[in-house]
């Protein structure tokens, strides 16, 4: 019983904290919630964690193989930089000078928030090195047990943690935008693009340090 609870708690803690810098997944969730409400947000988050369930499970099983595939990990790390820069430009171009314009979201929301969550979570390749690294660390440090059904308790903890962490951040961003006029005014054209550029710089430094220094 204690092993099950520990697996859930460790999975929840890692994913709750890890969900904060998920970047564009949180930003899109915030935009969906602000424009369409909590039901659409919940559907979107279900799509996100549906994909994450597969990523966490398979990186847990194949963590050692993945981390030893240097070419694959290098490609994922470098692609992550390009992807973050593309996102920065996308949010800047979508702003069209005003936060009030939600037409771009209305166009995508017709495909169902759940489907949007599935697609965007599938494109979040940075989850691979994140979960591979964490799973290796937790297994090698014996913080979790993965024999038989115990790994599913860990998986459940990670999904609950991601869901809770993303909801908490979305509500925080929404509260901030409601109470801070300048935040709302500059969110799409400045704050979000700068956020992704900073993430790209951090990722670039990690890649340089890991592969080229």
């Amino acid at each position: 019983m204690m092993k099950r609870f520990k697996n859930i708690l460790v999975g929840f803690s890692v994913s709750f904290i890890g969900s904060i810098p998920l970047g564009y997944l949180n930003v899109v969730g915030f935009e969906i919630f602000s424009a369409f409400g909590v039901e659409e947000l919940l559907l979107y988050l279900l799509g996100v964690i549906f994909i994450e369930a597969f990523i966490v499970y398979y990186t847990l099983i194949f963590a050692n193989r993945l981390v030893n595939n240097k070419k694959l990990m290098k490609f994922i790390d470098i692609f992550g930089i390009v992807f973050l820069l593309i996102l920065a430009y996308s949010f800047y171009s979508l702003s069209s000078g005003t936060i009030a314009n939600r037409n771009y979201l209305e166009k995508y929301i017709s495909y169902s928030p759940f489907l949007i969550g599935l697609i965007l979570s599938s494109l979040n390749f940075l989850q691979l090195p994140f979960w591979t690294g964490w799973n290796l660390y937790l297994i090698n440090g014996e913080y979790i047990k993965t024999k038989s059904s115990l790994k599913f308790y860990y998986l459940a903890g990670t999904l609950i943690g991601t869901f809770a962490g993303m909801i908490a951040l979305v509500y925080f961003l929404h509260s901030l935008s409601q109470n801070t006029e300048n935040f709302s005014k500059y969110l799409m054209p400045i704050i979000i693009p700068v956020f992704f550029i900073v993430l790209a710089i951090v990722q670039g430094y990690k890649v340089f340090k890991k592969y080229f220094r």
Side-chain angles (χ1 to χ4, degrees):
M1 188 67 181
M2 283 301 297
K3 290 179 180 179
R4 296 173 183 174
F5 178 74
K6 185 180 179 182
N7 272 17
I8 293 172
L9 184 61
V10 171
F12 178 89
S13 301
V14 171
S15 61
F16 185 88
I17 296 171
S19 69
I20 303 303
L22 274 177
Y24 72 96
L25 294 177
N26 286 322
V27 170
V28 173
F30 162 71
E31 291 292 316
I32 289 175
F33 174 69
S34 298
F36 305 105
V38 68
E39 290 185 10
E40 284 74 12
L41 171 64
L42 294 178
L43 286 172
Y44 166 75
L45 293 181
L46 286 174
V48 170
I49 66 171
F50 183 84
I51 296 299
E52 187 179 81
F54 289 96
I55 293 172
V56 174
Y57 180 76
Y58 286 108
T59 55
L60 186 66
I61 293 176
F62 300 111
N64 284 301
R65 294 185 191 177
L66 286 172
V67 82
N68 289 325
N69 191 330
K70 302 296 183 183
K71 289 184 178 179
L72 175 61
M73 297 305 293
K74 185 177 181 180
F75 171 78
I76 291 171
D77 287 337
I78 294 175
F79 180 79
I81 301 171
V82 177
F83 188 56
L84 289 169
L85 292 174
I86 291 172
L87 287 171
Y89 175 76
S90 298
F91 276 95
Y92 174 77
S93 62
L94 284 171
S95 66
S96 301
T98 175
I99 300 300
N101 185 2
R102 302 285 183 179
N103 290 334
Y104 69 94
L105 268 180
E106 291 174 2
K107 181 169 59 178
Y108 292 116
I109 209 72
S110 61
Y111 296 110
S112 160
F114 180 78
L115 181 60
I116 295 173
L118 286 177
I119 294 171
L120 293 183
S121 187
S122 300
L123 293 173
N124 187 21
F125 296 105
L126 294 177
Q127 291 184 92
L128 281 173
F130 175 85
W131 282 113
T132 299
W134 266 112
N135 288 338
L136 269 177
Y137 173 77
L138 295 173
I139 293 171
N140 291 335
E142 297 186 351
Y143 295 104
I144 59 172
K145 303 296 182 182
T146 58
K147 291 182 179 179
S148 62
S149 63
L150 287 174
K151 59 179 169 288
F152 295 107
Y153 289 92
Y154 168 72
L155 177 62
T158 63
L159 299 182
I160 295 169
T162 298
F163 194 83
M166 291 187 70
I167 284 183
L169 187 59
V170 166
Y171 271 92
F172 171 75
L173 291 174
H174 182 71
S175 175
L176 196 61
S177 67
Q178 294 294 308
N179 297 305
T180 309
E181 183 179 350
N182 288 335
F183 181 83
S184 298
K185 184 179 179 181
Y186 296 111
L187 179 65
M188 281 289 286
I190 298 176
I191 296 175
I192 292 176
V194 169
F195 171 72
F196 286 125
I197 290 171
V198 170
L199 285 181
I201 292 171
V202 172
Q203 178 68 10
Y205 174 74
K206 289 180 179 178
V207 169
F208 174 77
K209 186 177 178 181
K210 186 175 180 180
Y211 298 108
F212 301 106
R213 197 170 76 173

